[in-house]
Amino acid sequence: MQALSNQRTTLTTIASVAMFSRGLEPEFPEAVHRQLSSLRHPAREEGPHIRDLTALPWCSIDNDDSRDLDQLTVIEPLPKGAVRVMVAVADVDALVKPGTPIDDHARYNTTSVYTSARVFHMLPERLCTDLTSLNLDEDRLALVTEMSFSDDGILTGSSIFRARVRNKAQLAYDAVAAWIEGEAAQAIAGMATQLRMQDELAQKLRVLRHAQGSLEFESFQPKALFEGDHITDIRLQQHNRGRQLIEEFMIATNGCTARFLSAQGRGALRRVVRSPERWQRITEVAQGYGVTLPRQPDGKALETFLAHQHQVDPLRFPDLSLVIVKLMGSGEYLVEQAQATPVGHFGLAVQDYMHSTAPNRRFPDLITLRLIKAALAGTEPPYSHEELHELAQHCTAQEDAARKVERQLRKSEAALLLHARVGQLFDALVTGSTDRGAWVRTFDPPVEGRLSGDLPDLDVGQVVRVRLVSTSVERGFIDFELAH
């Protein structure tokens, strides 16, 4: 299988099998295709409850290759240094109704699965990349969250309403980051003031969150690059200013939507990360770096420790991040009733949080969209309390399955890239060491593998010279040995 000429097809096949084995459906059933053939154009709706905001200078910022655009942003100045931000989220519900075949498939998988060879979309491609996507120079229905911020970045008010919007500039994270950081010579026509103001606010929000104890991680996110159907390289995705801008605006929006539903007396599907049960182990990790953390979970103290390590040892910080993330435990979806004490999101240091800004890609966001539209219209919620509980558990389980598929495919991509380089030497960093063996991450390309053979005592973070011994594309295995 490793010698196949079409490497994209090989990886797509591995991904399809991995999805099926983890309880996800890689293909759309026939009923979805029949429903899709009846949808001719984007959703249209008129009335006084739909504001016409198509004249505003909206822009989208996403990955270079993203075609399923979920949100647009726009900003305007207010007196005394304050600003008003609007985040428009695609009104997927206007075209995808509950109980239809398309909705049933989305409800089953609950998320898009992203691999380098193929994206397994939650919604059919003609929907999420066209009819329900906030595409350039196209009028679309959206749910808009309007937020006002003081000159120091404090949220002073928010409202939510339905609107018609039009994307004026489809931008990419890396290009926006380069422009913001002064590394690109060209300005983006008509967007200079917008981007500068949005970036300034995002950085203020970022500082405020970290002051509250929001945790700063740097995850290991390699991405395979293709020329035609052949994988040519693997590179790390940088968490740059463009990504930070959207991250901050989405966190703010998710907080506003959570508080809106609570104020309306409605139950909601919240996204929570509980206070770490394995805090003692986290304190032991910090102690290994000469840092003493409080005995009880303390986000601010943990963030101070992480920020210091990021500054003094950026090379090894992604590995420390991974250890802490695993010890904190993964996020989950939880139904919370209005006026109940929220569980909150420990990693983001916020009490009110939900997923609401990506309904083309995540089913919990589509659920939230429907709950908000029902609240705005004064109608009964589209889901019962019992149904929301079932969906919370199901969405958590399917998201975990999707994450495992994506992680498995990253390993197969790396094995495929390296399979012709068996015997070559690489510089690597020890990322794990137990009685069962050791693991390393090579610097170029950035891939992870197992260190086999008779090993001396190795410390996590130690730089070593390794030789590639073998790869298995199907299983995603990469084996190295110490070079002598």
Side-chain angles (χ1 to χ4, degrees), residues 209-210 213-217 299 302-303 306 324 328 346-349:
R209 281 200 307 109
H210 289 306
S214 177
L215 304 181
E216 181 71 15
F217 296 115
L302 182 55
E303 162 57 15
L306 291 171
I324 300 298
M328 282 179 56
F346 184 85
L348 296 176

Side-chain angles (χ1 to χ4, degrees), residues 191-429:
M191 283 286 138
T193 302
Q194 277 290 310
L195 291 180
R196 189 173 295 110
M197 290 178 63
Q198 290 191 32
D199 174 62
E200 287 175 359
L201 175 61
Q203 292 304 311
K204 290 176 184 177
L205 297 178
R206 190 174 176 80
V207 168
L208 288 171
R209 281 200 307 109
H210 289 306
Q212 293 298 316
S214 177
L215 304 181
E216 181 71 15
F217 296 115
E218 186 174 305
S219 56
F220 179 68
Q221 292 187 313
K223 182 177 182 180
L225 304 180
F226 282 80
E227 284 185 10
D229 291 319
H230 284 262
I231 187 170
T232 58
D233 199 3
I234 293 177
R235 295 178 188 167
L236 292 179
Q237 297 185 66
Q238 300 300 319
H239 190 64
N240 55 38
R241 290 276 280 271
R243 285 185 168 84
Q244 290 173 7
L245 189 161
I246 293 301
E247 180 180 89
E248 295 304 327
F249 283 13
M250 296 311 108
I251 291 172
T253 302
N254 287 328
C256 289
T257 54
R259 288 186 292 273
F260 171 82
L261 286 172
S262 179
Q264 296 291 316
R266 307 254 177 159
L269 198 64
R270 296 224 175 172
R271 179 69 175 179
V272 304
V273 173
R274 301 176 188 274
S275 181
E277 293 182 0
R278 302 184 68 186
W279 179 256
Q280 182 177 348
R281 178 66 189 120
I282 292 176
T283 64
E284 291 171 0
V285 171
Q287 194 69 52
Y289 290 84
V291 175
T292 301
L293 294 177
R295 296 182 62 180
Q296 297 300 318
D298 186 323
K300 289 184 180 180
L302 182 55
E303 162 57 15
T304 300
F305 162 62
L306 291 171
H308 176 71
Q309 288 305 127
H310 191 199
Q311 183 179 17
V312 300
D313 195 357
L315 179 66
R316 296 167 178 80
F317 187 70
D319 304 295
L320 172 61
S321 292
L322 182 61
V323 169
I324 300 298
V325 166
K326 287 182 177 179
L327 291 172
M328 282 179 56
S330 57
E332 61 183 296
Y333 294 103
L334 194 70
V335 179
E336 290 190 357
Q337 294 302 309
Q339 314 310 323
T341 302
V343 173
H345 194 297
F346 184 85
L348 296 176
V350 293
Q351 284 295 99
D352 300 300
Y353 192 71
M354 67 195 321
H355 279 167
S356 66
T357 59
N360 274 309
R361 312 178 190 191
R362 289 188 306 229
F363 197 69
D365 303 58
L366 183 52
I367 292 172
T368 297
L369 176 64
R370 289 168 173 162
L371 292 172
I372 292 174
K373 286 176 66 176
L376 289 173
T379 58
E380 287 296 311
Y383 303 97
S384 67
H385 184 69
E386 293 73 19
E387 195 174 10
L388 280 179
H389 271 291
E390 293 174 3
L391 282 167
Q393 295 178 346
H394 178 66
C395 289
T396 299
Q398 296 298 74
E399 182 188 84
D400 182 60
R403 198 163 45 236
K404 289 176 179 176
V405 170
E406 291 171 350
R407 188 162 57 240
Q408 180 180 339
L409 263 293
R410 285 197 296 271
K411 294 178 179 179
S412 289
E413 292 160 5
L416 190 55
L417 177 68
L418 291 181
H419 83 272
R421 300 175 65 177
V422 170
Q424 291 188 15
L425 298 177
F426 299 85
D427 290 319
L429 194 72

